[in-house]
């Protein structure tokens, strides 16, 4: 089989890429190791930046998101038994986030691709990518116990952190930057209406807690736990007890309990990870295959979408120029990297501010001071807000420092 762009992985990165390429008349085939039902029900991210919402809307896959997604104009930071609202909308000149499950985005994209006659091959596991330095790289995959190959002009490695594409790049061609953390997140989905209209990020002596949601009937909750905790040791009673303790306020805020659904219950290790460059020959990495951010800034899926927007534009230039234009493709990694590191910075900062690291009282007071500052200084709150809603697409951040020649009096 042959196609123009062979895409490994039907997560947000792979599906958005396939969709954007199709809109430009570029053919792709998506290979996905799981079945359709599995990826359409895999509970993961939930916060879409304005940039992501705009891209999905402008590319024609935003109808259901517009109807069912919940637009939020603020978030709450809670510590010392008190809540403090960060007014995202006012602080960013009218920007917002939309709460809409990643699996819903995946459903909408699969529907759009299949409707348009696109090819997504489910239960097809890529086992290797080869000939990356040639004009015709190949993806080898297994489907129905048989070996197959997909030849293409380019391969997009959108196969997540544990995929096959990144490890296929020869050792020495990539630089890895990594940081591990002494905690993880335990996440649940509960069949109960959210207890607050907005997301609540809580710092507590017992550890971080997050109140989020998926719909007016479904609450999504996370608590900081130990990285080697076994989910079996977390009974429903223990989970609710921790949530009540960490989210409690002096005014007696009430958290509504409900049945915990099996989908969405799990422990996610926390890490920061970047490989550079995000390209080797005709293999381009995008999304979690190239970088992982800590989830506290809600940036992972949004970064995946930002990468493939850049990749789609570069591939469009290549085909529009009669297959001669490599300019944007050559700059792909460099273009992505600036946003990736800005997102790493923000996610690391949110994580450091909101999690319990150890019993060091000095560290604890530093974190309380950081929270005090960010909730009482308008400029600090503005910094949080502009990063949380998503930095502008062109990353023109409003030039904090004037160029030297114009700064002289
Ligand atoms: P993935 O979604 O991982 O997709 C990769 C796909 O490739 C998968 O479908 C996989 O099955 C497939 N695959 C893997 N190997 C192969 C192979 N060999 N052959 C074929 N297919 C293969 N991000 C946010 O922006 N906001 C949030 O609020 C947020 N919250 C999160 C909460 C949790 C608990 C977790 C775990 C993550 C969260 N994230 C969040 C991160 C976000 O979910 C990821 O960054 C996002 O899924 C990345 O998309 P992707 O397409 O790069 O990778
Ligand atoms: C959700 C996940 C996040 O990582 C986050 O920062 C906020 C919300 C969520 O799953 O709803």
């Amino acid at each position: 089989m042959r196609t123009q762009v062979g895409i490994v992985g039907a997560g947000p990165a792979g599906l958005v890429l396939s969709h954007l390429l199709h809109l430009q008349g570029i053919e792709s085939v998506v290979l996905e190791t799981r079945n359709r039902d599995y990826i359409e029900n895999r509970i993961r991210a939930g916060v879409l930046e304005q940039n992501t919402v705009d891209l999905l809307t402008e590319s024609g896959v935003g109808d259901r998101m517009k109807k069912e997604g919940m637009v939020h104009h603020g978030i709450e930071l809670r510590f010392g038994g008190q809540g403090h609202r960060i007014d995202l909308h006012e602080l960013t000149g009218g920007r917002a986030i939309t709460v809409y499950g990643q699996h819903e985005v995946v459903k909408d994209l699969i529907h759009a691709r299949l409707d348009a006659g696109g090819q997504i091959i489910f239960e097809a596991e890529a086992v290797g990518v080869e000939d990356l330095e040639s004009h015709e790289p190949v993806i080898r995959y297994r489907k129905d116990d048989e070996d197959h190959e997909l030849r293409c002009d380019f391969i997009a490695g959108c196969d997540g952190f544990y995929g096959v594409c990144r490890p296929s790049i020869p050792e020495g061609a990539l630089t890895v930057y990594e940081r591990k953390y002494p905690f993880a997140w335990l996440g649940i989905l509960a069949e109960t209406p959210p207890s607050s209209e907005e997301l609540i990020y809580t710092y507590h002596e017992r550890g971080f807690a997050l109140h989020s949601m998926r719909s007016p009937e479904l609450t999504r909750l996370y608590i900081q736990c130990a990285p080697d905790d076994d989910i079996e040791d977390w009974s429903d009673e223990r989970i609710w007890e921790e949530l009540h303790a960490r989210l409690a306020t002096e005014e007696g805020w009430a958290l509504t309990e409900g049945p915990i659904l099996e989908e969405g219950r799990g422990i996610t290790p926390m890490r920061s990870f970047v490989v550079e460059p995000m390209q080797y020959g005709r293999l381009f990495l995008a999304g979690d295959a190239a970088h992982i951010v800590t989830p506290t800034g809600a940036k992972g899926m949004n970064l995946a979408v930002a990468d493939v927007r850049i990749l789609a534009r570069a591939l469009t230039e290549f085909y529009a120029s009669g297959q001669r234009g490599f300019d944007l493709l050559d700059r792909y990694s460099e273009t992505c990297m600036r946003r990736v590191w800005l997102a790493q910075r923000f996610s690391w900062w949110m994580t450091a501010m909101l999690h319990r690291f150890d019993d060091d009282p000095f560290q604890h007071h530093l974190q309380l001071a950081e929270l005090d500052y960010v909730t009482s200084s308008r400029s600090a709150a503005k910094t949080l807000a502009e990063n949380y809603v998503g930095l502008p697409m062109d990353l023109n951040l409003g030039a904090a420092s004037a160029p030297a020649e114009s700064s002289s009096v």
Side-chain angles (χ1 to χ4, degrees), residues 104-120:
E104 305 294 356
V105 175
V106 163
K107 267 185 217 163
D108 297 342
L109 286 161
I110 290 178
H111 188 259
R113 284 310 296 124
L114 297 181
D115 240 23
Q119 271 210 79
I120 306 171

Side-chain angles (χ1 to χ4, degrees), residues 44-47 185 199 201 210 212 214 220 222 295-296 298 388:
R44 282 180 143 187
V47 174
W185 275 18
L199 270 64
Y201 287 83
L210 170 60
S212 180
R214 283 295 174 273
R220 178 80 166 140
Y222 298 96
T296 329
Y388 194 80

Side-chain angles (χ1 to χ4, degrees), residues 9 12-13 32-33 42 44-46 102 126 159 288 298-302:
E32 168 58 50
T33 192
R42 181 168 51 190
R44 282 180 143 187
Q102 174 172 328
D159 48 351
D288 279 15
K299 287 283 163 265
M301 174 175 45
N302 295 297

Side-chain angles (χ1 to χ4, degrees), residues 135-164:
H135 291 304
E136 203 179 50
V138 62
I139 307 172
R140 301 202 183 284
Y141 67 97
R142 281 192 71 76
K143 162 112 185 130
D144 300 329
D145 290 325
E146 279 178 31
D147 293 326
H148 300 263
E149 61 171 56
L150 173 62
R151 293 239 159 232
C152 32
D153 297 333
F154 297 96
I155 299 174
C158 302
D159 48 351
F161 186 69
Y162 299 102
V164 74

Side-chain angles (χ1 to χ4, degrees), residues 156-325:
C158 302
D159 48 351
F161 186 69
Y162 299 102
V164 74
C165 291
R166 192 183 64 248
S168 304
I169 297 176
E171 208 156 306
L174 298 179
T175 306
V176 174
Y177 303 90
E178 190 168 21
R179 179 166 286 189
K180 294 197 172 120
Y181 298 82
F183 41 74
W185 275 18
L186 187 160
I188 58 157
L189 192 61
E191 223 173 351
T192 181
S195 304
S196 156
E197 282 182 11
E198 294 181 338
L199 270 64
I200 308 168
Y201 287 83
T202 308
Y203 174 66
H204 191 275
E205 288 188 26
R206 296 168 76 125
F208 169 78
L210 170 60
H211 168 278
S212 180
M213 62 207 67
R214 283 295 174 273
S215 71
E217 297 84 35
L218 284 175
T219 306
R220 178 80 166 140
L221 296 145
Y222 298 96
I223 42 178
Q224 173 182 352
C225 66
D228 52 357
D229 269 1
D230 186 345
I231 191 76
E232 300 299 324
D233 293 334
W234 281 91
S235 64
D236 292 8
E237 298 71 45
R238 184 176 170 205
I239 293 172
W240 286 117
E241 191 185 311
E242 268 317 303
L243 284 164
H244 282 294
R246 297 183 192 188
L247 286 159
T249 65
E250 280 170 7
E251 291 84 44
W253 184 79
L255 171 68
T256 323
E257 290 189 21
I260 297 179
L261 304 175
E262 274 325 298
E263 61 264 35
R265 185 200 293 260
I267 292 180
T268 311
M270 195 156 295
R271 62 158 61 83
S272 308
F273 177 92
V274 178
V275 288
E276 204 177 351
M278 292 165 61
Q279 175 201 358
Y280 181 78
R282 287 205 172 201
L283 168 65
F284 291 82
L285 302 176
D288 279 15
H291 40 70
I292 297 286
V293 289
T294 54
T296 329
K299 287 283 163 265
M301 174 175 45
N302 295 297
L303 265 190
V305 172
D307 286 350
V308 296
R309 178 201 292 251
I310 293 165
L311 186 54
R313 197 173 299 154
L315 290 165
T316 301
E317 180 200 62
F318 173 81
Y319 286 108
S321 66
Q323 312 206 3
R324 278 191 296 272

Side-chain angles (χ1 to χ4, degrees), residues 46-48 68-72 97-101 199 212-215:
V47 174
L48 307 187
E68 297 174 22
M70 294 171 281
V71 176
H72 284 199
I97 52 149
T98 297
V99 178
Y100 186 64
L199 270 64
S212 180
M213 62 207 67
R214 283 295 174 273
S215 71

